[in-house]
Amino acid sequence: MLTPSAVANAKPYKLTDEHGMYLLVQPTGARLFRFNYRRPGTCKRNTLALGMFPDVSLRKARDRRDEARTLLADGIDPSTQRKAGKAGSADTFEAIAREWYAKHKARWTPSYAEHLMRRLEANVFPYIGAQAISSVNAPDILAVLRRIEARGAVDLAHRQHQVCGQVFRYAVATGRATADPTPALRGAIPPAPKVHLASIKEPARVGELLRALHSYSGGPVVSVALKLAPLVFTRPGELRHAEWAEIDFDKAEWRIPAHKMKMRAPHIVPLSTQAIAILRDLQPLTGRGKYVFPSPRGAARCMSENAITVALRALGYDGQTMTGHGFRSMASTLLNEQGWNRDAIERQLAHAGVTRCAPPTTMPNTCSNGAG
């Protein structure tokens, strides 16, 4: 049995475990879990404290070791990350990014805000989120961006570069950082290839598409959405979130509030006689609820974002031929070819501020059954 005098005279010794972890037994009787590792990118050795036994069990110590090894596999020094966390969570990159997000999210649509934070949580925070923002430098950010690029998500890498820059500029403005290192990374990631969402633009094929839309035999709500999409050419999210309170039949207008728009400005969509007729036909079915296009799961929710896509696939249009967003480029191309004012087209696509283009009293028919 170990006695106090024996412990006092004993020398420290180690009981090794696996993967660099060991138990250090001190002359005082203290038993300390430690983890030896090499710092990322160097040959320097370092030791990370994992806790004292029995306050920290062997299983818990192994879990902490495995967490540290995971960080090392991603090129992150677990000791540096721990120090950054102790330095004060208010000055970490993640804390400041969340603060910046909270200050600005009112300017964004709910879906955009949700996607922005989800991408930060998945792609950035695990690697530099715990670091004091003043210690994050250009190589740190480049390592994050290259991980994204390695997955083939080059466009996402550029977007995260931009968002990181906005966070740094906010940190500089609020006195938590002295400079934004992201401009130094311009050109470090190759440009993303341009991807155009599939759309039909040839007049003859557009006529075939419109006839197909009017022949859709699925649910009446989706059927109406299909018919209305080429007449209003709004973004798919704006269409499915349409509310009856926004429709003014007397003025033949659909007024979309700012919080639903990508540009965060109210938008007025003129409604042709065909669009009014289509909405009038739907009103007895869904007019008592909030949404023009409610979900079949309940009137309190709007139609699924995949509803239009699924309907187009059912009509035989694959993702390489036509998409729900493709109605916008289809309208832009045809209207420009017909000589409409380019600025008016851009504004009606909501690429600028509020405007109202005087609509024609009717839309030209392009198919034999009268579907315009």
Side-chain angles (χ1 to χ4, degrees):
M1 185 175 179
L2 198 60
T3 64
S5 60
V7 170
N9 293 327
K11 293 182 179 180
Y13 64 92
K14 299 177 182 179
L15 297 175
T16 59
D17 192 59
E18 293 180 318
H19 305 299
M21 192 182 94
Y22 59 91
L23 182 70
L24 177 63
V25 182
Q26 298 280 26
T28 59
R31 290 166 287 181
L32 310 171
F33 289 112
R34 295 288 187 262
F35 170 57
N36 286 342
Y37 67 94
R38 293 188 186 276
R39 292 185 181 275
T42 72
C43 295
K44 296 181 180 179
R45 297 183 65 84
N46 196 31
T47 300
L48 185 70
L50 302 177
M52 178 185 293
F53 183 84
D55 296 337
V56 175
S57 67
L58 175 60
R59 181 173 183 177
K60 182 63 176 178
R62 285 172 173 167
D63 288 343
R64 291 179 178 178
R65 174 203 62 197
D66 292 341
E67 291 172 1
R69 295 181 72 227
T70 299
L71 291 173
L72 288 167
D74 289 326
I76 302 170
D77 188 331
S79 179
T80 301
Q81 187 178 63
R82 179 181 291 183
K83 289 177 182 178
K86 290 180 179 179
S89 59
D91 290 334
T92 64
F93 181 90
E94 179 174 350
I96 293 175
R98 291 187 182 278
E99 183 181 321
W100 164 81
Y101 172 83
K103 294 282 187 183
H104 292 85
K105 69 177 182 179
R107 300 170 43 241
W108 307 320
T109 61
S111 60
Y112 174 77
E114 180 184 353
H115 288 154
L116 187 150
M117 180 50 66
R118 190 188 309 156
R119 288 168 176 169
L120 281 172
E121 291 173 342
N123 300 289
V124 181
F125 292 166
Y127 307 105
I128 61 173
Q131 287 185 239
I133 196 164
S134 59
S135 71
V136 180
N137 54 34
D140 293 332
I141 302 168
L142 181 59
V144 171
L145 300 180
R146 282 182 171 164
R147 286 187 184 93
I148 302 172
E149 179 195 0
R151 306 198 312 257
V154 179
D155 183 64
L156 177 59
H158 283 283
R159 290 176 185 272
Q160 295 301 278
H161 181 200
Q162 294 170 0
V163 172
C164 286
Q166 292 173 7
V167 173
F168 270 103
R169 288 190 288 277
Y170 175 77
V172 171
T174 55
R176 268 83 62 85
T178 57
D180 170 17
T182 60
L185 300 178
R186 288 174 185 163
I189 301 296
K194 291 185 178 181
V195 177
H196 298 284
L197 295 171
S199 176
I200 294 174
K201 300 181 179 69
E202 299 81 1
R205 294 183 64 204
V206 170
E208 294 174 359
L209 171 64
L210 296 181
R211 288 191 290 273
L213 299 183
H214 280 258
S215 69
Y216 179 71
S217 59
V221 171
V222 177
S223 177
V224 168
L226 282 173
K227 295 173 185 176
L228 193 62
L231 300 182
V232 295
F233 46 91
T234 56
R235 296 177 179 88
E238 296 159 5
L239 180 66
R240 67 189 186 90
H241 281 97
E243 300 178 24
W244 284 112
E246 300 165 1
I247 306 297
D248 188 329
F249 285 106
D250 294 332
K251 292 183 178 180
E253 290 179 348
W254 169 21
R255 292 178 170 264
I256 308 176
H259 71 272
K260 290 185 177 182
M261 297 298 299
K262 181 177 181 180
M263 304 303 292
R264 308 304 284 173
H267 185 56
I268 303 173
V269 181
L271 299 174
S272 65
T273 54
Q274 288 97 328
I276 291 291
I278 289 170
L279 289 169
R280 287 288 192 192
D281 287 343
L282 182 64
Q283 193 174 29
L285 183 62
T286 69
R288 294 182 181 180
K290 175 182 178 180
Y291 291 108
V292 176
F293 306 108
S295 167
R297 298 181 179 180
R301 300 170 57 182
C302 69
M303 181 175 67
S304 164
E305 61 182 339
N306 294 321
I308 294 292
T309 298
V310 171
L312 287 171
R313 301 298 171 267
L315 291 171
Y317 294 94
D318 60 28
Q320 305 302 314
T321 306
M322 187 65 190
T323 62
H325 204 278
F327 289 111
R328 290 169 59 77
S329 56
M330 180 177 80
S332 176
T333 298
L334 294 181
L335 290 171
N336 274 290
E337 288 179 351
Q338 292 173 16
W340 283 72
N341 182 280
R342 183 177 180 82
D343 291 337
I345 296 170
E346 289 299 299
R347 291 192 179 106
Q348 202 54 54
L349 287 166
H351 289 165
V354 183
T355 188
R356 185 190 192 283
C357 306
T361 56
T362 186
M363 295 293 291
N365 292 327
T366 55
C367 50
S368 59
N369 66 358

